[in-house]
Each structure stands twice: as C-alpha cells, then as structure tokens.
Amino acid sequence: MEAAVFILSLIDCCALIFLSVYFIITLSDLECDYINARACCSKLNKWVIPELVGQALATVLMLVSMHWFIFLLNVPVASWNVYRYVKVPMGNMGVFDPTEIHNRGQLKSHMKEAMIKLGFHLLCFFIYLYSTEKATKTTLYDN
Amino acid sequence: MSAPGFTNLNPSVNNYVNPTQNGGGGATPYHNGPGQPLPAMYPASNYYTGVPQQGYLAMPGQLPPPPSKAPPMNTDFSATYYHNSHSQAGAGPGVGPTPYPPPHGLQTPTQPPSTATHSVSGAPQYQPPASYATPANYYGQRYGTSSQGQQQPMLVPASSSSNPLFPIVSYPSGPGSSEYGTLRSSQGAAERPPIPAVIQPPTHSALQQYPQGNGATPKPAQQGYGAPPLTQTATVNGQSNAVQQCYDQTPPGPVGPHYSSASPSLEGPVRGHAPSGTPSTSVHSSPSRQQGLLYGGYGENSAPSSSTGLPGDHSSSSSDQDDEDEEDEEAGGDSSSTTTGSASPVPNSYESLEGGIYPGSSSVPPPADPTKQAPPFGYNYPAMQPGYQQSPTPRAGSSPSHGGYNAPGYQPYSQPFPSLSQLSTALGGLSGVSEQEVEGLRPVNLLQERNLLPLKRGTPAEPNLSSNLRKMNCSPDTFRCTLSSIPQTQALLNKARLPLGLLLHPFRDLTQLPVITSNTIVRCRSCRTYINPFVSFLDQHRWKCNLCYRVNDVPDEFMYNPVTRSYGEPHKRPEVQNSTVEFIASSDYMLRPPQPAAYLFVLDVSHNAVESGYLNVLCQSLLENLEKLPGDSRTRIGFLTFDSTIHFYNLQEGLSQPQMLVVSDIDDVFIPTPDSLLVNLKESHEMVKDLLNALPAMFTHTRETHSALGPALQAAYKLMSATGGRVSVFQTQLPSLGAGLLQSREDPNLRSSTKGVQHLGPATDFYKKLALDCSGQQIGVDLFLLSSQYSDLASLACMSKYSAGSIFYYPGFHHVHSPAQNLKLQQDLHRYLTRKIGFEAVMRIRCTKGLSIHTFHGNFFVRSTDLLSLANVNPDSGFAVQMSIDESLADTSLACFQAALLYTSSKGKRRIRVHTLCLPVVSQLSDVFAGADVEAITCLLANMAIDRSISSSLLDARDALVNAVVDSLEAYRANGSNLQLSGLTAPAALRLFPLYVLALLKQKALRTGTSTRLDDRVFAMCEFKSQPLKQIMRLIHPDLYRVDNLTEQGALHLNERMIPQPPLLQLSAEKLSRDGAFLMDCGSVMYLWVGKCCDEMFVRDVLGCPDYASIPPDMTEIPALETTASERTRAFVSWLQEARAFCAAFCVLKDEPSAKSSFFQHLIEDRSESAFSYYEFLLHIQQQMSK
C-alpha cells in the first residue's frame, strides 16, 4: 500500500517535472523571440489546470496516506497554484496573458516561478524515491 | 518671489475664497477674488501672479559664463530641426534644379522629386531658424529681467512689513544678482542667491534699470493689467519676429541646397538679425552690458533656462500632411535592396525584463511608507480653511529658522551641491550649459512660491549636450525622456526616486521630414540599429554603433553622398544629419506585398442608435470625405450594420443599387459573398455614395433594441482578415446578444464612493481575444462609443487597446439634444477620416546597452520583448515605456534611444520612420534632478497609476502617486542635506510636480469622492494611455487665460494673422473675476466662462449678444463678428485649436451654478468637497515627509 502510494506520487512528480521543464522552455523561447506571446500563452495556459491537478493529487495522496511532513511540503505549492488560478482577472486569457506577459517583468517572474517549481519537484522526486525504496524494503522484510 | 496667495501679510489673500466652500448656492464667492479689491491695494503688476514669478529666468543671463565656452553654433536645436513649411516652400524652388545624382547610376529617372525633399529638408535647416533662435533667447532673457522690475513694488512692501518669509524666495534683483551671478558662474554651483535680495537696496537699482532697459522699447512699463502682457510681449515677439524674418529671408537668402552649407555660417545671420528684426527690441536689462556676449554666442545658454519663454516653434505641428508622401511615392520604387538586412526578428539583447522602479509604489515602500497610515484625504485638515493665509501653523514652524537662514548670506548655498562645480568643469567639453543644471536645481519653497506656472506651455529643458548633438537631437514633441540626464546606475536612479521612461509620439504629423530612398539602409550588424547622427565614424570605412558599440563597416554606397554629390563623406549623409528620418524600405521589409488601404465601417443600427441620430452625421461626413480617405487606386471600403442580426452590403459595381444581405445566424457568422462586400472605392464609388445616402433612412422605423456587437465584430474580422486594414466600430449601447455580450456592472450609488472603484477591468476576454486575432491579421479596430447609458467601455475598449486602434467616446450623444457633442463628432470624424494612416506596422524601441525597457503603455500588442505590433498606426497616438538600468553606464557619456516604426503607407509603400534621441549620462544625483522633465514624469506616472488602478485598486494608485511626490522630494532633500531648508522645497525642475500630481488625483480617471460615471472614468484612463504628451498635459492641467482684454501686445504674427498671447493663469477661482471672461482649454473641450459683470463690450462685440442675460445657454462657437475684439478672440481660439489634432469642443458658460460642475472641477488648485486644495496638498506632503 505504502509503496503503491509512493510509486504513484513518483509518477505524478515526474509528470510535474516534465511540465515545469516545458514551462521553462516555452518561456525562454518567448524571451528569445522564437515564438510570439500569443502562441506561448495559449500553449502554457493549456497546462495550467493539469499542473494544478497533478500537484493537488500528490498533496491528497500524502494526506490520505498520512505522511504529514511531505503533505505540509506540498500544501503551499498546491495552494499557490489554486490561488494563482482563481486570481486571474475576468478579462485575462488565463494565468498567462499575452498582452501582459511582456509588461512589468511578468515574464521574468513566471520564469522564476517555473524554476522554483522545478527545484521543488526535483526535491520531491528524491523524497518519493527514497520513501518508495524504504517502503518496498519494509514490505519485503515484513514478508 | 513673494507669493501673495500664501502670505497672511499680503492683503490680496483675504480675498481668496474657495468657491467650493460655499456650495452650490447662487452666491459666487469667487467674485470677490482679486478682481476688485486687489488693484486698489496693489498698485503693481502682481495682479497677475502668473507672470512675474519667472524672475529667476533672468539669472542665466546675469551670470555670464566665460565667453570662451561659447559654442560656435548657438541655435536652438529644435527650432532648427523642424523648420516650418514656409521656409520649405521658399527653399523648394532654389533647390529643385540640383538633381539628385544617381549614385553609381543605379537610380531610376524618378529620382529628382525625392531630391527636392532631401534638399528641402536640408536647406532651410540652418538658415531661418538661426535667424530667430537668438532673438527668442534674447527675449527670454529680457523678459526675465523686466519681470523683476515689475516685481519690485511687491517686494518692497513685503519686506517692509517684516515678513520673514519673503526673503527666502525673493528674486535676485538685478545688480545684486549679477554679483551672485559672477559668484555662481565661477563656482559653478551657487544657484540660489535669492535670499537677501529683498532686503537690499538693489531693489531700487533694479527699478532704475528697468526703465533704462525699456528706454529703447516703444512700450512704456505698464502697471497693473498691462504689465503681464508686456512681459509676454517680449517673448512672443521674439518668435513672431522670427517668423517674419523667416519669411523675408528665406526666399532671397542663399538657400543652401546642401546639408552642410549653412551650418558654418550660423554666426552671421544670428548677429545680423537679432537686432534688426526686433521692432520691440529693447536692449535692456541688467545684463545689458553683457549683451554683446549674449549675441555672441550665449543665446544658447539662456535658451534652455528661459525655456518657459521660448515659444515652441518646432511644435507647430500644423496638420500639413507630409508632402513628401506624394513627392516620394514615385521616387523610391521597390528598388532592389542590396545589403539591407532582412526583417526577421532581431535577436535582442534585452534579456532582462527586471521590474523597474516605481518610486511611488507601495511595492517598493519607502522606509516609512506614509500613506499606509495616512487617512483618506481631507482627514488631516478638518480645520483647514480654504484661504492659504489662514494656515499659520506651518509658517510659524518655518519662520524661526529664518534668522539662521538669512544670516550667513548666500555663501552656504554654494555648498550643497559641491559636485556641480566639478561637474560643470567635467562637462565643460560636453557642453557649456551648466546654467541649465543650476537652474533646474534651484530649490523652490513650494509653500511660499505660488506662481510656479510658466508663462506659457514651454518646451522642456533641453538635455545637457554639446550644441552639435543638441542641434541634431530628436524633437521633444516626438521623443521625450522623463530624465533628460540618464543616471549612471540603477542605484542612482533608485536614489532619485523618479521614474525613468520614454514618451513617444512617433507618427505625428511633421511638416518636414527627410525621406531617404536608398538601396542600402545601413544598420548595425548585431543590434540592427539604424545609422543615426550619434554614431561615431572611426574612419572612412567603419562606424561604431552607439547602442551596442559594435564596429560596423560603412557600405560603399553609403560613402557617396547624393546631397553634396561628393564621395567619401559618409557623415554628411542625411541619415547622419537628422535624428528623424524616413526610409523607403525594400522588399526585405515585407512579409507580404504591401496591403491596400482598407476601411470597414461597422455600424450599430438598433433602435437606440437610430434614435441618437449619429448615422446621419457619419454618412454625411463620409460623403464629404470619401475622396480624402488616405489611399490609392487600390483602396477598399465596406460597410456592415448590425442590430440583432448582421447586415452586409454588396457594393459590387454593376449592380443597380447596393444590395443588403442579412445574416441572422449570429452564433456562427458567415460571410455571404466574400468578394463583393469589401469593394474597390474607385470602382464602386457611386454605389458607396448611394448606400451612404440611403443608410440613415433605412432604419428609421426599426424596433430592434438588441445589439449583437460580438458577432458583428467576428464578421468584420472574417471580412478583413485577407487584407488587413481599419475597422471603425460605432456602438451606442451595451452588447446584448451573441458572443461578447455584457451585463451592466455599474452601481450608480457607488459613483462617488471613496472606497475605490470596481470593474475598471474588462468583464470578458472576448474582446481581447478578438483584438489579438485582429492584430495578427493586421486589422486595427477603432471604437466610437456614443451611448447615454453605461456601456461597459472597460470591456469594449479592449478591442481597440490591443489592436492599436483609437477610442472615441461621446457620452449622451444626441443629434438634437446635445449640439456640442454633435459638432464634436463631426469635427472628429473629419480628422479621423482624413488623417494619415499606416498599416501593418511594427515599432521597435532600442536603447543603449545597459538600459532595458520593461513596461509599455499605449494601444498596441507587445509581440515580443521589444516589438510592438501596431495593426494601424495613426498620427494622434502616443506611447510610453518604462525603463530600468541593468548595467552601469559608467563607461559611456551618452545614452541613446531609437524608435523605428515600420509601416505601410496608405499608398502602398513600405516605410521606416526612425527617431533617435541622445541624452547625457550623469553620475551625480543633483544632475538627475536638474534634468528631470516634470511633464514627462507626470505623464508616465499617470500611465503607471492607471495600470495600477486596474491591476490593484484605485486607492493604491492614488497612494502611489502621492508617494511618488513625497519620495522624490525626500530624495532631493536628502541629497542637499547640508542645505538648511525650511518648508517644502523642490528643485526648480520639479517645482510643478506636486501641482501636476494633485491635478492627476483630481482627474476623472483617478478621482474619488466626486460622482464619476464608470464609463467616463474608463475613457479618461484610455485617453491617458494613448494620447501624446501634449494632449495629456492639457487634460491634466488645463490652460486658463483671461480673454476679455486681449491686446495686441505680445501677439504672435502668423500668416498675417495676429494672435494675442494672454498669460497663463493658475487654476484657481482666485484668478477669476466677475468682470472678466476666461477661456479654459482642457484639451478635448474649451470653456469660455463669462463673469456676471463682464464688460458689456465683450459680450456685445465677441459673443454678439446685447447683454449678459441674453447669452444663450448652449453657445458652441464664437460668432464671426467684424469687431477687433471678436477677431482677436477668434484668432486666439482657432490658434489654440490648430495646435491639436482633434478640435476641442467649445462651450460658452455663464456665471451660473449650473456651470459649476463642468468648469470649476478643473480649478484644481482649489479645494473641492472631496479633495485637497493645492496648499493643503503641499502640507499633506510635508507631513508625510516629516514622518
């Protein structure tokens, strides 16, 4: 059971890492003018919800399996994702708005955010990996 | 300067009654303003307080800098650069014969016309302006001194009444100041000598000098009313003479056909002309002994400092459409380009989009963020009386310090900016204008000096550059920086707490524009900067880019100068001689063949729209201007109307009459006949006319009240996407059907809430998406909103905001009930339909390495980091950008900015308009302050505040604005910390900053507490974001003139027209009087306020009414009467109108309570129910600073 939870989180985490990398690549493409803002934002906005769901999934998994520490680690990021999504003004086209992304250093802050998330997911990845290992070992010994 | 309004000792202030205090009653308290009682007590000129304050202007003249520093060319750059069209006309013929020699025989025979343009622009460039640059300067100086003379009567009683306050701010009087002057120029720093001036006898000698000086003048020194006009005369005559001289001179004069010819001989004309061409020349004033110097080359020095006095010749952006448009169309051809780079996206080096500073923002809170604790406005001063005189507290606080202040004399004043002396020596090589710096830094005690307004809207302080660079620099009307001296590092910028940004008006109508048809457009290979006057040529074959410092090769073709027909002089090419040039671009700059001009009109024909009657006005206007629509033989036009269904009009030639096609499926709009809806204007001319004639009557009996705007826009998008072009949408109500329908969000009860305003942002992203789609297909959407009810402009405006369109709003439009609006719509439409237009445009703004742009303001879509996509570009839109300094600029002394606008002209030519601005880089905080351009700062702050109020909240934005003032004044105080200044001091360059910010806070866009309709507010915001600086400034701080006593004195003579130049008055009811008539110019509307006891003569001669009572309530123009007074008034008003693109609505208001809301809300120096008076605001700031 324990092991299953962590393996699931591990897969989830991998997906989130890939997503973060995708965000970073797309944003830096925009920064370097390889794609235009419109395309970039519509690409990224598509993945905002999946990211939110993925993060929430990991959080819920930790909650139900009662791994409090990892749960607390995940809560801020999950709530940030929700907050960010909810706070989008009515007139905007999503979390990433092509008309504003070049203003007031938004691109920079999006980039920073994606970087931090990548780091966080990597950290989580190793935690899950370690926990999986531990869980599988314990199950082995139990048997 | 004794500020009468602020001093309790001054009798005049007792009359200062705040009108708003007395509520809306019939009583008109402002009547006992200075009008009657004042003259009795006040013999002298300070009646018009607006005038004399410029005493300090005289200073530069009084301190002669060492003559050796005199730069050889002392022409005012801007005057030089934008010659007026007359000189062009004169030059034309002289130049025509010089053929444009085809370089390497490559050019086509169509070349000569373009030669004319080149040479024309080259020829008058130096001559005529040179002739008047000096008189103007000269006058500026004389003016300053004469105002001193007038000042005296006021000063004397003041000091005799032992008011300790006066000395602080008093003028340097003539002789006294000349002492200071020497002191200052030698020390290079002592800029504020004023202190002891009043107490000293020099006052007397100044008085004596005054008559002396005026001896030569035909005009006697006048007192009272006459005085201000006199001073004004001086300045203005300078210009008028200049203009006349221009006329006289140019045609016979040796019109140099070559760019280079005139420049060396500048000195000649200058000397020769200044004395002769000035009828009212009085060689006068204390600096009279330096007069020779002045002529000799110091004109320049006085120029910037007397900037207020210098009329902005170059700004006379008469609406002459660029003539060269026609001349050159045939010239360039799509000649094959040889070495030009491709239009592919430039690899940009501005990686950093680091958020810049927002000095006032609470995100960067100052150590003690005051407004956080600050209660809402008005709270702090419950007992504050409207009259300034009744607030003795601060005065008392400040006066004790006086003893110490006066005692040491002016010595201490040389200390506070020790750096200045070093700096001026350091910059000696760069320029000889440290006076300007000094002037900009002069501390002004805001609480005591009231008359801070310049005499008239002047040109901004010029950047401290060498005369050569300055002469070539871009016109401040086109390109302006908030800090005309760029700080070296971000740290320094942060210290100054001022925003750094640019204000652009790139496509404005120019009377003179060098157009270059060259096979090679020389650009930097790495940053793609266009070659400009500020690059350096290392040798004959290499030039160094001034933005990225890369060394580039000079292409062979560039070595040949077609203007001088010489080889090996790349630095004489027009590109390198002018900072504003236009290139005819080759096919490398096209992604597709240049599009034809295409216009689509999308008209609301629901019941509401028909009721308002706009269709008639529009169709009439279109019929009149159909021929004048910019375009060529390919021009296309189409119409689309909508209510709950969408109606297309088949205008294919060959049909007997226009055919209406109705599409009622608004959920999935399709185009019924794709080919015949957007038709060639030439071919289907008759059909279009038929339709326009029929259209107003077609829907008269409609009962359809719904409006399906969204689907109509989708249809328009589909219709236009093949070509691109302009869509003009006329909407009269809230869209209620189909995609993009909107709900009313306004709660009328909250209109005057002080708790912030909701719904400033769009309700849906439909219009934004549509705009971006349009922008992608090069379609610009212009919105005309003519509604009487809430129409959610915040959402609708998006369609124009992001597609680079423009927004027009006529609240409560009705063709019968609101004649003023009706007239305005007619005039606006005329301009709108005939103005120049550029299609499929992009603009890129590049800056020197180390600077980066992080925020853009205006109507456009930012496609990539520094590329603005403008589907349409029109001559009336302005842009603003904010910058930050990423890397230290220590290794350079000049920072450059280049805006390049690539567009397709209405004639189907691809053109690039390039503007380059060059500014000095400074390392001292004092220099940053000295170079601050308060108008530009205000406009940029307005843009930032609007962004903030949409993204955060209105209250936040207001706090940020107040903080911006507090922070910058604090920074200034900290900078001159060893200067024991009492009260609230600002550097002279920023002396109007608090006033402008207060004005901003009272703007419709940002005010709280006063009832403001949401749409009005949003429209005001849109205007701030998209108007050019001049227009914004008129909106923020309207111009007030007294017009019932217009005289010829100081009048401007243009084309045989005499245009009176009344002085600018402060926006305070104190300046109004019952027996006068006052004109207030608010940018988009002008009010003529007629006092109850106004001169019968004026009412009869100008307004054409027998007496005051019979003035009709809704007069919208001044009748054309054959009287002098009428002619003068009309000349003045039409002169004001000509200075803007869209005519202002004109409105005659009687002195009645009903006029209150419209007129008195603009008197921003007065207190209103919900906002501070100017003086209260200053006290508020002072309090915040001391926290």
Side-chain angles (χ1 to χ4, degrees), chain B residues 564-635:
Chain B
T564 58
R565 287 209 253 170
S566 52
Y567 190 80
E569 286 185 330
H571 54 281
K572 297 260 175 71
R573 294 265 303 196
E575 296 95 312
V576 191
Q577 292 287 326
N578 300 287
S579 60
T580 295
V581 291
E582 188 152 292
F583 296 99
I584 307 280
S586 64
S587 53
D588 290 343
Y589 291 84
M590 300 170 196
L591 294 173
R592 58 176 185 177
Q595 65 162 84
Y599 307 103
L600 178 68
F601 294 86
V602 177
L603 312 173
D604 182 2
V605 291
S606 61
H607 178 74
N608 196 26
V610 172
E611 192 64 14
S612 76
Y614 85 89
L615 267 180
N616 217 346
V617 179
L618 171 69
C619 291
Q620 211 51 48
S621 188
L622 251 176
L623 278 173
E624 280 163 23
N625 296 306
L626 211 50
E627 316 286 336
K628 296 186 211 145
L629 279 177
D632 53 10
S633 58
R634 303 183 299 158
T635 307

Side-chain angles (χ1 to χ4, degrees), chain B residues 364-421:
Chain B
V364 191
D369 190 352
T371 50
K372 284 275 142 65
Q373 315 106 27
F377 282 173
Y379 178 89
N380 280 341
Y381 307 99
M384 180 59 67
Q385 290 303 308
Y388 293 171
Q389 77 281 4
Q390 281 162 327
S391 54
T393 355
R395 199 73 46 64
S398 64
S399 31
S401 66
H402 268 295
Y405 189 66
N406 270 338
Y410 43 82
Q411 275 305 332
Y413 292 95
S414 55
Q415 291 166 4
F417 305 107
S419 57
L420 258 187
S421 54

Side-chain angles (χ1 to χ4, degrees), chain B residues 104 143 146 498 851 1004 1138 1163:
Chain B
H104 309 306
Y143 151 69
S146 57
L498 291 169
L851 291 165
K1004 263 187 191 156
E1138 281 161 18
L1163 296 177

